[in-house]
Amino acid sequence: MPDTTVETVGTADVRPDPRWGDLEHLRRTSPMTDAVLDEVRGRHIRCGNHWLIDFASCNYLGFDYDPDIIAAIEPAVRRWGTHPSWSRLLGSPRIYPEIEERLAALLEAPDTLLLPTATLIHASVIPILADGGDVFVEATAHRTVYDGCAGARGQGATLHRFQGDHPAQLDAMLRAVPSHSTRLVCLDGVNSMSGNIPDVRELAAVCRRNGATLYIDDTHGFGVIGERRPDELSPYGARGNSVVRHTGESYDDIVLVGGFSKAYSSLLAFLALPTSLKSLLKVAAAPYLYSGPSPTASLATALAGLEVNDRRGDAIRADIHRKTATVLAHVHGLGLDTPNADGLPIVEIPLDDPADLDAVALSLWDSGIYVTLAAYPLVPRDRVGFRVQVTALNSDDDIAALCGALTRLSEQFALRRREG
């Protein structure tokens, strides 16, 4: 029988939701979850007396420790203070439009708008774009995208779910809704668990045929993948200018959302969008009207990161690709399954038995390897496992240690095997 124990918090009674039972168990029992870290040295972290190699970081480009970027913080703080005191509607330090102009040029987008986080963007912008019409969310889209779509439903929109690898399904669903309805299609760019890239060209064509706007959250792709060209240094493409340019698409009927908090290590997010929509959001999107903006240090590191990306970004991405290829080759050599088909630095390893996750996490911890645990309901039960992220600051010795730990793990536990 399900646990119906009532926990009392002040005057409020809270009934634990059984959906979160597995994750709550990990939070209470696993050192890999809800950890307090006492020291960080690049991608080596200390928890108490235990040192681990960090493969849970999403700071893909290593900008969190780049000396040129770190040096940009103090001058900006001395000029603007630690934090702007206004919402953006009241006033923005000059550094905001400087970043927006540089970013639009990098993305080759008509315009950009900066807001603090992608989560705030999804929650506020998706309901505006939906406008009480029909919203189609891809089945594996990030929880924050789904929550934004659910918010749109709360404001009168009708919510539908579709499979991103079945464009014909989306086409049929779009054709089935009333012709006068606003239509918004939401999905991830680079998927945060599988590390794969959707067929943006086909999905964009379906949306355009049916008068729909395609809304893409590419927080894990921005800074890592970019435009394809003959002189690119790796299959990730050049310039790190995100999934729209990587797939050779235009921004017609596409709104791109990205974040600086992953590859650029800065608390900042953006929309790439038409100038007319940017003007609308300045008066309609709550974070622009009311929210406190990003700290000055985040603005400074974002701007400095764009400069470093121009100078050294492609060489950094080529190095990440090389290290990721080493990890994937080892995973395949062990006969292990991973959904990673596009070679990006997100390597998910599913377990045969979800009940093994606690023990697997402890084994990795004992091996000095720190990863992201993928527990239910963060992922479906048939995809419970762990995720490895490779970043520029992971050394070749770190990669070798990871591969050794994966070998030992495959000998101890039933990790899912590749078919065929």
Side-chain angles (χ1 to χ4, degrees):
M1 294 179 63
D3 184 4
T4 57
T5 302
V6 175
E7 297 179 3
T8 301
V9 182
T11 59
D13 291 335
V14 178
R15 291 184 181 274
D17 188 329
R19 291 178 303 169
W20 301 103
D22 291 2
L23 195 57
E24 172 60 17
H25 173 76
L26 278 178
R27 189 191 68 79
R28 288 187 288 102
T29 63
S30 175
M32 201 86 76
T33 304
D34 204 19
V36 175
L37 306 178
D38 297 292
E39 188 175 355
V40 178
R41 297 179 184 175
R43 292 296 175 265
H44 289 199
I45 57 179
R46 179 172 64 84
C47 183
N49 295 321
H50 191 57
W51 280 95
L52 303 108
I53 303 170
D54 182 9
F55 287 102
S57 171
C58 292
N59 293 327
Y60 297 114
L61 299 179
F63 282 4
D64 48 329
Y65 274 83
D66 189 285
D68 292 340
I69 296 173
I70 292 172
I73 295 174
E74 184 178 0
V77 169
R78 290 192 178 279
R79 180 178 183 186
W80 299 108
T82 58
H83 190 259
S85 60
W86 325 279
S87 71
R88 287 211 63 192
L89 185 65
L90 288 177
S92 297
R94 173 60 58 184
I95 196 169
Y96 267 104
E98 289 177 4
I99 297 171
E100 288 175 342
E101 291 166 10
R102 288 283 299 271
L103 181 59
L106 172 65
L107 298 173
E108 299 179 13
D111 211 337
T112 62
L113 177 66
L114 297 175
L115 291 170
T117 69
T119 300
L120 283 173
I121 289 174
H122 299 328
S124 60
V125 173
I126 289 176
I128 294 170
L129 297 180
D131 194 26
D134 287 271
V135 181
F136 302 80
V137 60
E138 204 277 324
T140 64
H142 197 277
R143 171 66 184 269
T144 58
V145 175
Y146 177 81
D147 285 349
C149 294
R153 178 176 58 189
Q155 297 183 32
T158 302
L159 183 57
H160 314 262
R161 302 192 79 167
F162 72 97
Q163 300 290 332
D165 55 354
H166 292 87
Q169 178 195 40
L170 175 63
D171 186 66
M173 293 171 71
L174 286 168
R175 286 188 282 106
V177 300
S179 58
H180 59 80
S181 173
T182 299
R183 303 165 193 190
L184 180 68
V185 175
C186 302
L187 73 156
D188 288 350
V190 171
N191 185 275
S192 62
M193 292 305 299
S194 71
N196 292 331
I197 302 168
D199 189 345
V200 172
R201 293 186 70 89
E202 180 61 26
L203 292 169
V206 168
C207 289
R208 290 176 184 132
R209 283 199 304 269
N210 291 280
T213 297
L214 182 59
Y215 179 98
I216 305 175
D217 172 9
D218 199 33
T219 49
H220 281 269
F222 173 63
V224 177
I225 60 172
E227 62 193 63
R228 308 305 303 271
R229 61 192 201 193
D231 63 342
E232 65 189 23
L233 300 183
S234 80
Y236 293 170
R239 302 180 71 199
N241 51 5
S242 208
V243 69
V244 174
R245 298 302 307 127
H246 184 77
T247 56
E249 260 300 337
S250 75
Y251 287 92
D252 294 341
D253 303 309
I254 291 178
V255 173
L256 175 72
V257 175
F260 284 85
S261 62
K262 306 299 184 190
Y264 278 69
S265 311
S266 302
L267 180 62
L268 194 64
F270 66 85
L271 298 107
L273 71 182
T275 302
S276 58
L277 179 56
K278 176 177 179 176
S279 297
L280 169 63
L281 295 180
K282 284 185 175 185
V283 296
Y288 198 91
L289 275 67
Y290 308 116
S291 294
S294 296
T296 302
S298 293
L299 301 174
T301 53
L303 187 59
L306 290 168
E307 295 174 356
V308 171
N309 179 66
D310 285 347
R311 298 197 307 270
R312 297 188 267 117
D314 284 345
I316 294 172
R317 282 179 280 274
D319 185 55
I320 298 170
H321 174 263
R322 178 183 63 81
K323 293 170 181 173
T324 302
T326 299
V327 174
L328 286 171
H330 189 75
V331 168
H332 295 154
L334 292 172
L336 301 181
D337 184 30
T338 176
N340 186 313
D342 290 328
L344 298 184
I346 302 171
V347 183
E348 182 184 359
I349 308 293
L351 308 181
D352 262 350
D353 185 353
D356 285 342
L357 184 58
D358 210 345
V360 166
L362 184 58
S363 177
L364 287 167
W365 180 273
D366 290 341
S367 294
I369 302 296
Y370 194 70
V371 298
T372 301
L373 301 183
Y376 177 84
L378 301 180
V379 297
R381 290 197 185 277
D382 63 355
R383 287 181 52 191
V384 167
F386 60 92
R387 182 180 71 184
V388 168
Q389 284 112 221
V390 179
T391 73
L393 292 185
N394 289 121
S395 68
D396 288 337
D397 287 343
D398 293 345
I399 299 298
L402 170 65
C403 291
L406 292 176
T407 297
R408 293 189 295 275
L409 206 65
S410 70
E411 295 167 350
Q412 297 170 345
F413 296 97
L415 308 183
R416 188 171 303 165
R417 299 285 163 173
R418 298 179 73 187
E419 296 181 359

